[in-house]
Amino acid sequence: MNEIDVPLFHFSRGHFVEADYQDPLLEDYRNNPLLEALPPIWDDKTVAKQLASNPSFNVAERELPVHLRMHCVQRISRDFFRPLSRHLELQQSLSRLIRDGYVGRNPLTPNYAFRARKDAYELILKGHTNGYPVNTPTSAGFALVGISGIGKSSSLMRILQMYPQVILHRKYKGQDMPAPYQIVWLKMDCPHDGSIRGLCLNFLLAVDSLVGTKYYKKNTTKTTDELLPIMAQAAAVHCLGVLVIDEIQNLQEAKDDRAAQMLNFFVQLVNTIGLPVILVGTYKALPALNGEFRNARRNSGQGDATWHHFQKDEEWEWLLQGLWKYQWTDKKVELTPEFIEIMFTESQGISDIAIKLFMLTQWRALDKEIEHITPELIRSVARDRFTLIKPALEALRSGKKNQIQKFADIYDSVSIDDYLDRIEAEKRKAARLEVIKTELGYNLQEQTVSEVNGWLIEAGIGEDIALKAAQEVVQKHLHELDTVDLHKEALKIALQAQNNSSSTNKSIPRSKTKVKTTPTEPNDLRVIVSQGKKQKLPAYDSLKVAGYIKDPMEFIG
């Protein structure tokens, strides 16, 4: 797909992706331009690689002044993201949801024209859906509920951004497209007061900003009952693939029966135009998610997602291993079992709190001129900076249900169905984690050996000697990557091995028919080393002066 500028309008977001129709590989999805214009269906390896994000980091930055290093630490909250099993599972659910929702919404069929006409508007306005020409949807949507700070919204946004938000259609197989703009996804927050009218107006404003329409301007004076069908019609006309409503717990603030009315409207969107809806919120949203929409979600086959705080297991350690690389203090400390324990104790497995705690600890160490972070420093920061959330963390730490219930945002309310789903998810988590580790280079030792070996070969060292030298130096200095120049140490070992090999070869009687040759080419490594010896230079320095050895910071920067 090619990103182009659409010159027809001047939107706040003037960038579109032009439709590039590809075979979706499944018969269910063929001959539907809305489906063929989507990206391919990704496997877990591809998703893990696309989702992963690492802040820029250079060991030399530890030499910068403190006030600059303070800003470096900020990169963690902005750029660090390590995919986990739950993220791969969420992406799969979203992928199925969007595509299944489009199966019955082909703009080239007669049904589409009916759906976009005033008739559709009137059917939704009157609340009549019988006889409406839409295939019975199987993807009603699902709810993503979890503890505050566990990464629901940010993770979902990363996954949504793997898909183009707006696709521009011109012609499909020589046929003009009745709907030039396809809005693949739209994410918005539920208003703080749970206002349905506010939600509708925000939706229309978002559509206007994406495709240049004027829904908002034309309908600002309309009532809630008038806005609901306009919102549904806009979603149908512009082929909206999935609607995501975040902060759904705000419905608890809605007056009268507005919460039930909004949820029932979402059911109408599913039943009339086949639009999947994803609701995201904290545990406070659970009471509002009961009723008709809960039944619709159960029939969708996707299953709700409940994100609990992390357990102190392999996945928690995997998250910390990725985080621990980014230390701008004077000295780096290794991730030990003690650090794993203290980070879990002070954050209770809530990833957002753990990341903030890691950053705050570094800032305090830099400010107080402490060389490196320590468990005591982490405890001190948690005690001083987490005063507002301390009661909630203490409730989680106690494990007592009556204490946890006082904090709705962290209430681990799990039904029997949720519990069984969680058991099944645990079985899949281990397999997915292995995929992620393999794809992102979890085996640091193998990765480092490969890099050093390649560098030695490029410097002119024989393959056998290069590999042995790389393995030896990495085995010896694996836990000192930031303080030891692996390339320099490996080259010393390799050159020594070459010298020993040369000495051994001299002691072996040679055939009289062979003529001993002396290297004469000025660029020959042997000539360079030999001339260096005359100037009392070590072999390493001779090769470096000649330009055969580069600054190692180029490779490890």
Side-chain angles (χ1 to χ4, degrees):
M1 294 185 180
N2 302 314
E3 190 174 281
I4 63 170
D5 289 326
V6 180
L8 304 176
F9 306 101
H10 297 286
F11 311 147
S12 59
R13 303 177 188 178
H15 294 283
F16 285 75
V17 170
E18 188 165 12
D20 180 14
Y21 305 110
Q22 301 291 333
D23 185 354
L25 302 179
L26 292 175
E27 193 60 38
D28 319 45
Y29 302 154
R30 288 195 175 108
N31 301 315
N32 184 332
L34 302 180
L35 286 163
E36 293 186 4
L38 293 176
I41 300 174
W42 299 295
D43 58 17
D44 282 350
K45 290 183 179 181
T46 304
V47 174
K49 184 177 290 186
Q50 288 195 38
L51 287 180
S53 175
N54 297 307
S56 60
F57 177 79
N58 192 315
V59 176
E61 289 176 333
R62 292 194 182 125
E63 304 299 324
L64 293 173
V66 167
H67 69 283
L68 295 181
R69 283 188 277 170
M70 290 279 197
H71 284 260
C72 293
V73 174
Q74 186 67 43
R75 296 176 194 159
I76 297 174
S77 66
R78 186 175 63 243
D79 300 327
F80 176 77
F81 187 84
R82 196 158 234 211
L84 302 167
S85 172
R86 60 181 58 175
H87 303 126
L88 304 191
E89 187 169 358
L90 180 59
Q91 191 285 139
Q92 286 183 3
S93 295
L94 183 69
S95 174
R96 294 192 300 267
L97 197 70
I98 292 175
R99 288 173 170 83
D100 199 48
Y102 277 140
V103 166
R105 300 163 61 200
N106 191 331
L108 300 180
T109 62
N111 283 352
Y112 175 83
F114 179 91
R115 200 172 293 126
R117 291 206 319 262
K118 188 177 179 181
D119 297 345
Y121 174 94
E122 291 177 348
L123 279 172
I124 301 173
L125 181 62
K126 295 175 182 178
H128 299 312
T129 57
N130 291 336
Y132 193 78
V134 61
N135 294 340
T136 302
T138 59
S139 290
F142 60 86
L144 174 57
V145 179
I147 192 169
S148 181
I150 203 64
K152 303 180 300 296
S153 301
S154 59
S155 299
L156 183 57
M157 194 64 195
R158 278 185 176 273
I159 293 170
L160 287 171
Q161 288 174 341
M162 294 172 65
Y163 296 82
Q165 187 165 18
V166 180
I167 300 176
L168 174 63
H169 295 265
R170 299 186 187 274
K171 285 184 179 290
Y172 175 75
K173 296 182 179 180
Q175 184 176 352
D176 289 331
M177 287 285 291
Y181 298 113
Q182 173 187 358
I183 302 177
V184 179
W185 57 269
L186 186 58
K187 180 179 180 292
M188 52 195 299
D189 289 346
C190 180
H192 290 290
D193 59 356
S195 165
I196 302 178
R197 186 173 185 276
L199 178 74
C200 292
L201 289 174
N202 290 344
F203 175 89
L204 297 179
L205 186 62
V207 172
D208 289 345
S209 70
L210 289 173
V211 297
T213 47
K214 296 181 180 179
Y215 291 112
Y216 181 83
K217 185 177 181 180
K218 293 179 179 179
N219 298 288
T220 52
T221 60
K222 286 189 167 53
T223 65
T224 298
D225 291 338
E226 291 173 318
L227 286 171
L228 288 173
I230 294 171
M231 176 179 170
Q233 187 185 33
V237 169
H238 299 292
C239 308
L240 180 58
V242 63
L243 175 62
V244 180
I245 308 294
D246 203 352
E247 306 294 346
I248 200 67
Q249 69 273 7
N250 290 340
L251 283 181
Q252 293 295 93
E253 305 301 325
K255 298 178 181 178
D256 303 324
D257 62 345
R258 289 294 184 176
Q261 185 181 348
M262 184 181 288
L263 292 173
N264 288 337
F265 172 62
F266 293 150
V267 176
Q268 280 190 317
L269 289 179
V270 173
N271 291 338
T272 56
I273 62 174
L275 171 63
V277 180
I278 299 176
L279 304 180
V280 184
T282 66
Y283 291 125
K284 280 184 179 179
L286 287 173
L289 293 177
N290 290 322
E292 187 174 354
F293 191 69
R294 180 172 177 84
N295 293 331
R297 300 197 315 276
R298 281 176 174 170
N299 294 332
S300 73
Q302 301 298 336
D304 291 344
T306 304
W307 282 15
H308 308 272
H309 58 101
F310 289 96
Q311 300 301 307
K312 191 171 59 179
D313 55 13
E314 188 180 9
E315 198 162 41
W316 174 251
E317 184 175 346
W318 159 252
L319 178 66
L320 291 182
Q321 283 172 341
L323 188 63
W324 224 249
K325 173 183 176 181
Y326 304 104
Q327 297 180 41
W328 282 272
T329 48
D330 294 343
K331 294 182 180 180
K332 176 186 176 182
V333 293
E334 297 302 321
L335 180 63
T336 63
E338 186 179 9
F339 276 119
I340 294 173
E341 176 69 33
I342 193 65
M343 287 294 290
F344 182 82
T345 299
E346 299 299 342
S347 70
Q348 283 302 293
I350 301 174
S351 53
D352 185 59
I353 295 178
I355 291 171
K356 285 182 171 60
L357 177 59
F358 186 63
M359 293 170 58
L360 289 167
T361 303
Q362 286 197 61
W363 277 326
R364 177 167 294 184
L366 291 170
D367 184 51
K368 301 296 183 182
E369 298 183 352
I370 301 172
E371 282 191 338
H372 56 79
I373 61 177
T374 64
E376 293 73 21
L377 190 60
I378 293 174
R379 287 192 188 92
S380 172
V381 170
R383 183 174 58 251
D384 299 342
R385 301 301 297 272
F386 289 168
T387 53
L388 292 179
I389 61 173
K390 183 179 179 181
L393 293 176
E394 287 293 343
L396 277 176
R397 201 171 287 127
S398 72
K400 297 178 180 178
K401 187 174 181 179
N402 62 337
Q403 294 294 321
I404 297 173
Q405 283 177 324
K406 296 177 182 179
F407 305 94
D409 278 352
I410 64 166
Y411 178 35
D412 209 352
S413 175
V414 185
S415 67
I416 296 299
D417 289 340
D418 292 332
Y419 180 70
L420 295 176
D421 289 342
R422 189 174 180 181
I423 291 175
E424 185 62 29
E426 288 294 328
K427 294 178 181 177
R428 297 191 297 268
K429 185 172 74 172
R432 285 201 177 99
L433 186 58
E434 286 305 313
V435 170
I436 294 169
K437 289 178 179 179
T438 302
E439 191 61 27
L440 298 183
Y442 177 73
N443 193 323
L444 181 62
Q445 183 168 344
E446 289 183 6
Q447 194 176 23
T448 309
V449 167
S450 176
E451 191 275 327
V452 174
N453 177 51
W455 185 87
L456 289 174
I457 292 174
E458 185 179 336
I461 302 298
E463 293 184 5
D464 292 342
I465 292 178
L467 180 59
K468 291 179 181 178
Q471 290 173 335
E472 182 178 339
V473 77
V474 171
Q475 179 70 27
K476 184 177 180 181
H477 300 292
L478 182 61
H479 299 294
E480 304 172 283
L481 298 183
D482 291 337
T483 57
V484 175
D485 186 340
L486 298 186
H487 299 90
K488 180 177 179 179
E489 296 302 317
L491 186 62
K492 289 179 181 178
I493 295 172
L495 292 175
Q496 183 62 45
Q498 281 191 343
N499 289 338
N500 293 341
S501 176
S502 177
S503 301
T504 303
N505 290 338
K506 288 179 182 178
S507 64
I508 299 176
R510 299 181 178 272
S511 170
K512 295 181 179 180
T513 58
K514 290 186 178 181
V515 180
K516 182 178 180 181
T517 59
T518 302
T520 57
E521 291 293 330
N523 292 330
D524 192 298
L525 295 182
R526 293 168 293 180
V527 173
I528 294 172
V529 173
S530 176
Q531 291 176 346
K533 287 182 178 179
K534 295 178 181 178
Q535 301 175 20
K536 296 184 179 180
L537 287 176
Y540 175 82
D541 292 338
S542 299
L543 292 172
K544 187 173 183 180
V545 171
Y548 280 90
I549 297 178
K550 298 181 180 180
D551 185 348
M553 296 306 295
E554 292 184 29
F555 298 88
I556 64 176

